[in-house]
Amino acid sequence: MKLMICGKGGSGKSTVAALLAKQYAHVGKRVVVVDAEVSTVLGPHRLLGTGVPQDLIGYFNGEKSVREKMKALRQAEIPPETPLLGTWTYDTIPQDFSSENDGVKLVTIGKIRDTTVACKSPWMALARQFILGLDLAENDRVIVDAEAGIEHFGRGIDAACDAVLMVIDPSHESVRLAERASGMADFVNVPLYFVLNKTDVNTSPFLRKVIPAGNPIIGEFPHDPELLRAGIEGRALPGGYPVAAAVLDNLAVLQG
Ligand SMILES: Nc1ncnc2c1ncn2[C@@H]1O[C@H](COP(=O)(O)OP(=O)(O)OP(=O)(O)O)[C@@H](O)[C@H]1O
Ligand SMILES: [Mg+2]
């Protein structure tokens, strides 16, 4: 299972990604978290309790080299779902470009630190290729912490995954984004599920009314001061978080 977590900036993507990763590890899965947030310098390492891995784009000799390699490979007219940059298993992910804690391995695609860079294409292409090339054993799971917004749909990152989970917090932007993603049925190549986040007794029923019907809501993380506190203090999140367990159970049922 390769699961992409998306949503608006600040909706709780990294928090949900970390809770689900920790939950998978808690029940004995080996997990790869792919940090595909290329524009946000801070990754989910603190929430996972791992170190900061080197950017994977460095393994491929940087942005220019990835761009040139992708161009050359594309001209060779290879079928779109063929991994173009190689394949990896949990064990063969380059060690210097990942960091591990408690059964969770973090891989960071790369952070655009140079503010003059206008085109994210090489990073997005690498994210897609790395996910596509991850060859999973039965006990392995992949969670992609995606860039805010829905650009990754157009870049085919969703198509490299088995399902997309959109995190929806109580905000107008989240509702609009859910509507746009839901309306992009032709674009989104895999099942799209919703999870609500940071809700309370007032916002939960209201939010449920305004988000598009048709995509299952597979879980709801109420506003939790402990999660917020762990986030602010930069502490690792726990496994065994009940909502995370419920989300993964629902996902397993829906994905068969
Ligand atoms: N259920 C929750 N209850 C309380 N606080 C939460 C909850 N989920 C997330 N938060 C807090 O909301 C803030 C944003 O969360 P997070 O960093 O996970 O969002 P994000 O979508 O990954 O943001 P970005 O777009 O910047 O990557 C953090 O301070 C986090 O601790
Ligand atoms: Mg984040």
Side-chain angles (χ1 to χ4, degrees), residues 10 12-15 35 37 40 42-44 47 145-146:
K13 298 177 296 298
S14 298
T15 301
D35 176 9
E37 283 193 276
T40 312
L42 262 187
L47 300 174
D145 186 2

Side-chain angles (χ1 to χ4, degrees), residues 4-212:
M4 183 173 98
I5 314 289
C6 68
K8 86 168 222 307
S11 60
K13 298 177 296 298
S14 298
T15 301
V16 170
L19 284 170
L20 297 183
K22 289 284 184 182
Q23 179 59 29
Y24 269 141
H26 185 70
V27 296
K29 309 291 184 203
R30 299 193 303 181
V31 193
V32 181
V33 174
V34 181
D35 176 9
E37 283 193 276
V38 301
S39 313
T40 312
V41 174
L42 262 187
H45 63 278
R46 286 186 195 279
L47 300 174
L48 297 169
T50 66
V52 184
Q54 288 188 62
D55 289 359
L56 189 72
I57 204 155
Y59 181 75
F60 293 96
N61 301 317
E63 173 210 350
K64 200 165 162 239
S65 161
V66 169
R67 195 185 314 128
E68 280 164 7
K69 208 174 266 175
M70 294 301 300
K71 199 172 156 198
L73 287 165
R74 241 180 251 119
Q75 280 164 355
E77 292 186 17
I78 298 162
E81 298 312 312
T82 314
L84 299 177
L85 296 178
T87 55
W88 300 266
T89 65
Y90 186 90
D91 295 312
T92 64
I93 291 171
Q95 224 175 19
D96 291 346
F97 295 86
S98 65
S99 56
E100 190 170 356
N101 178 39
D102 269 349
V104 180
K105 231 176 219 189
L106 173 65
V107 174
T108 298
I109 296 300
K111 302 293 179 185
I112 305 179
R113 294 184 171 85
D114 178 353
T115 49
T116 63
V117 169
C119 176
K120 292 185 209 165
S121 288
W123 284 268
M124 297 295 224
L126 176 58
R128 175 176 152 71
Q129 289 303 323
F130 180 69
I131 298 161
L132 209 56
L134 266 174
D135 191 7
L136 302 186
E138 205 183 317
N139 203 35
D140 298 344
R141 300 289 183 271
V142 172
I143 292 185
V144 181
D145 186 2
E147 183 94 338
I150 50 177
E151 190 184 340
H152 30 71
F153 292 140
R155 308 270 190 171
I157 297 179
D158 60 317
C161 298
D162 301 302
V164 173
L165 200 60
M166 180 170 267
V167 179
I168 304 177
D169 69 355
S171 68
H172 181 67
E173 294 97 308
S174 272
V175 174
R176 289 303 309 275
L177 206 61
E179 285 169 356
R180 285 179 63 196
S182 193
M184 286 167 84
D186 296 341
F187 234 148
V188 183
N189 295 301
V190 293
L192 171 67
Y193 305 119
F194 294 151
V195 286
L196 309 185
N197 190 30
K198 306 194 207 182
T199 52
D200 61 26
V201 285
N202 297 310
T203 51
S204 171
F206 178 71
L207 198 56
R208 282 174 181 270
K209 248 185 238 163
V210 293
I211 58 176

